[in-house]
Amino acid sequence: DFQAAYDDPFIWVGEMLTDEWITGVNWEDYKRANNRQLIYFEGPADAMFSELQGARYTAELAFEKLTEIGSGVVSADQYAKVLAYAGYSYILLGDAMCEATIDQGSEVYTPAQLYGFAIERLTDALAQAGDADLRRWINAGLARAHLNRLEYSQAMTFAQAVNSDDFVYWVNYVEDTRADNSLYGDVTGAN
């Protein structure tokens, strides 16, 4: 769910809003998004919110279910990974939304609060993680969440903990049409 939310709509629609690319898609709601007229219930904005919420919910539900299964079957790194995906989903919600609700609640959260939720999940993930690359990925998320909250010293501490010039963490697990890189079709005239 995170992979599907990340490339489209997060990157694709987000780039329309920041003028990183201009779309030729002729659907009215995408034309408006391309002109920064984002209406919350229309396709682009609704997709961004619902897909990112889906990724967040799936990660948190997976953690809950893994906890029910128990540590005899589930490794600490598996716990850490699902918590990290929840944390990264909160980061993207904070990046993409001016405000957001969680789980159909009535409380509206600011980006700073969403980054705070990310920090909670990622801190818990870091406490579980043993794999070095997983720890680097979690530290990169913690650095980003703190940076987005303008907490510079914490951001530098976690960024230094990544401690690798060639660190890359790929977010790809399955090869089905839902998890394809839909950006390829979006930017090469397939639409």
Side-chain angles (χ1 to χ4, degrees), residues 80-179:
K81 192 175 284 189
V82 295
L83 284 170
Y85 275 115
Y88 269 89
S89 297
Y90 277 111
I91 289 172
L92 296 187
L93 279 165
D95 287 353
M97 302 289 134
C98 298
E99 55 186 24
T101 60
I102 303 295
D103 291 334
Q104 299 180 345
S106 60
E107 187 168 353
V108 177
Y109 298 99
T110 66
Q113 290 171 305
L114 295 169
Y115 298 134
F117 296 144
I119 290 167
E120 291 172 15
R121 301 312 181 278
L122 292 165
T123 300
D124 291 345
L126 191 59
Q128 300 275 341
D131 178 74
D133 280 341
L134 179 58
R135 291 183 65 78
R136 287 184 185 104
W137 182 54
I138 294 166
N139 277 307
L142 282 162
R144 181 171 169 181
H146 281 291
L147 181 64
N148 291 348
R149 285 173 55 107
L150 308 179
E151 298 167 348
Y152 301 120
S153 63
Q154 294 97 321
M156 287 189 300
T157 298
F158 288 108
Q160 289 170 342
V162 174
N163 194 24
S164 177
D165 292 337
D166 60 351
F167 170 70
V168 175
Y169 197 90
W170 293 101
V171 181
N172 54 350
Y173 284 102
V174 294
E175 295 182 14
D176 65 22
T177 55
R178 193 173 109 63

